Amino acid sequence: MVFDQGVIFGTGKLALDCAQILNEKGLPFRIYDTNDCPSKVFARQAAGKGYLYFDVPYKRAVEETDGLSGRVLLVSAINPRILPTRLLEKPGLLAVNCHQALLPAHPGRNAEMWAIFEEDIQTGITWHTAVEEVDAGEILIQKAFPLTEADTAYTVFRRQMEAAREGFAEIAEDLLNGTLSGRRQQGRGRLRYSWEVPEDCLLDPAWPGHKISAFLRAVDYRGLAVLKKTPRILWEGRELSWKSYTITASGNDAELAMRDGCLIIKKDGYYIELKGLQKQQSGR
């Protein structure tokens, strides 16, 4: 083993999965919860497993990691923060990151959302070395799976976390032994930021049925606070949001109507219902 200790920046199940793998391989490590809102559940789970866990300001986490001696493996696992140059250039430190897409496609935030909205036929995860340019490092391993019209951002993210665990488990031995080699990325997708959402989060009923379906599923995080804007639609001069929706198959006839408190969009073989409509302030 070429590393003396490990550091995990991240939160949630994947961070714990990576911790378990490092623990099984015998590498001492510490975990820093770098989520914008540190999780008490995550803290209890880490403590229950006896892991060294810290909930400190990100600046302090960086400073403490920068102060570590020897060879350090930094694992970025669902870490919303950009790793600073001072860590990436620290002698003896190697940083690897999990990205929720098949790089070079969809670098940046909320990649599962963009894969669905852009109607990719597959998605997955990429473990890659972390470099100064976001999500541009060498690819260490990728795990792919097909996208279907039943997938939402929430369900895809769940599948990605399992794929990420499997991928890290596969590369862990070679990574720790210093025998893992990566490959350079070819090309570069558009970098997305956390505040970006498809079409300003405004559904256009003039879109084809398949694009309306893709939009609804892309912004469906099942209530998780991911989107910076509320998905909505313009109807009779008002911006309306919805509590739930359904997408089913229908004939080829078209309809756009409000019925029984639901907005019905029927076109191109899709029957879409937006339910629990409520008025939104413009731009939310």
Side-chain angles (χ1 to χ4, degrees):
M1 187 180 301
V2 299
F3 294 100
D4 301 302
Q5 56 189 312
V7 176
I8 297 173
F9 278 11
T11 194
K13 185 177 184 302
L14 181 59
L16 288 173
D17 286 341
C18 292
Q20 180 178 342
I21 292 168
L22 294 183
N23 189 54
E24 292 171 351
K25 298 295 182 181
L27 181 70
F29 63 89
R30 58 180 64 191
I31 302 173
Y32 289 100
D33 189 340
T34 56
N35 199 19
D36 295 332
C37 297
S39 168
K40 293 182 180 179
V41 173
F42 181 41
R44 288 197 301 269
Q45 291 173 332
K49 294 179 178 293
Y51 299 154
L52 193 59
Y53 168 91
F54 298 94
D55 168 14
V56 297
Y58 187 62
K59 181 179 179 181
R60 180 174 169 186
V62 169
E63 290 173 347
E64 292 183 0
T65 302
D66 191 33
L68 296 176
S69 59
R71 293 293 308 277
V72 177
L73 174 65
L74 193 162
V75 179
S76 176
I78 312 305
N79 168 33
R81 311 279 188 152
I82 295 176
L83 297 175
T85 302
R86 63 190 286 190
L87 287 186
L88 299 176
E89 294 182 349
K90 175 180 169 61
L93 184 143
L94 173 66
V96 298
N97 177 62
C98 174
H99 182 65
Q100 296 108 262
L102 299 172
L103 292 173
H106 308 299
R109 294 291 293 275
N110 304 330
E112 63 284 342
M113 174 176 67
W114 293 105
I116 294 173
F117 182 70
E118 295 184 7
E119 301 181 82
D120 294 354
I121 62 173
Q122 67 173 356
T123 188
I125 62 93
T126 304
W127 281 100
H128 64 93
T129 58
V131 296
E132 188 169 6
E133 186 177 4
V134 174
D135 296 330
E138 291 189 344
I139 294 171
L140 302 175
I141 191 171
Q142 292 185 310
K143 290 286 187 177
F145 55 83
L147 282 173
T148 74
E149 288 207 47
D151 282 317
T152 68
Y154 178 81
T155 62
V156 168
F157 182 80
R158 291 282 300 271
R159 293 169 69 189
Q160 286 173 327
M161 293 305 94
E162 182 59 28
R165 182 198 64 78
E166 294 175 359
F168 190 73
E170 288 183 25
I171 65 173
E173 189 73 23
D174 289 339
L175 179 62
L176 294 176
N177 288 333
T179 57
L180 182 65
S181 59
R183 58 181 174 85
R184 295 181 61 183
Q185 297 185 41
Q186 302 296 322
R188 176 75 166 165
R190 177 182 170 185
L191 180 67
R192 299 289 185 175
Y193 297 91
S194 61
W195 48 264
E196 289 188 271
V197 287
E199 302 298 328
D200 197 38
C201 241
L202 185 64
L203 188 158
D204 186 347
W207 292 336
H210 65 87
K211 180 55 70 174
I212 296 174
S213 169
F215 174 87
L216 288 170
R217 294 180 292 105
V219 297
D220 182 0
Y221 280 93
R222 197 179 290 184
L224 297 179
V226 175
L227 303 177
K228 302 302 182 182
K229 290 190 175 183
T230 301
R232 62 209 193 282
I233 188 169
L234 185 63
W235 178 260
E236 295 183 345
R238 299 177 298 162
E239 287 191 354
L240 304 177
S241 63
W242 52 90
K243 291 185 178 180
S244 63
Y245 67 92
T246 58
I247 304 172
T248 54
S250 75
N252 290 323
D253 51 324
E255 180 182 11
L256 177 62
M258 187 74 72
R259 189 162 61 245
D260 298 327
C262 298
L263 186 58
I264 309 299
I265 306 173
K266 187 177 181 182
K267 64 189 309 185
D268 305 327
Y270 292 84
Y271 186 88
I272 296 165
E273 291 183 272
L274 304 182
K275 305 175 181 180
L277 297 168
Q278 54 189 359
K279 187 177 180 180
Q280 289 289 306
Q281 294 180 358
S282 180
R284 283 188 63 186

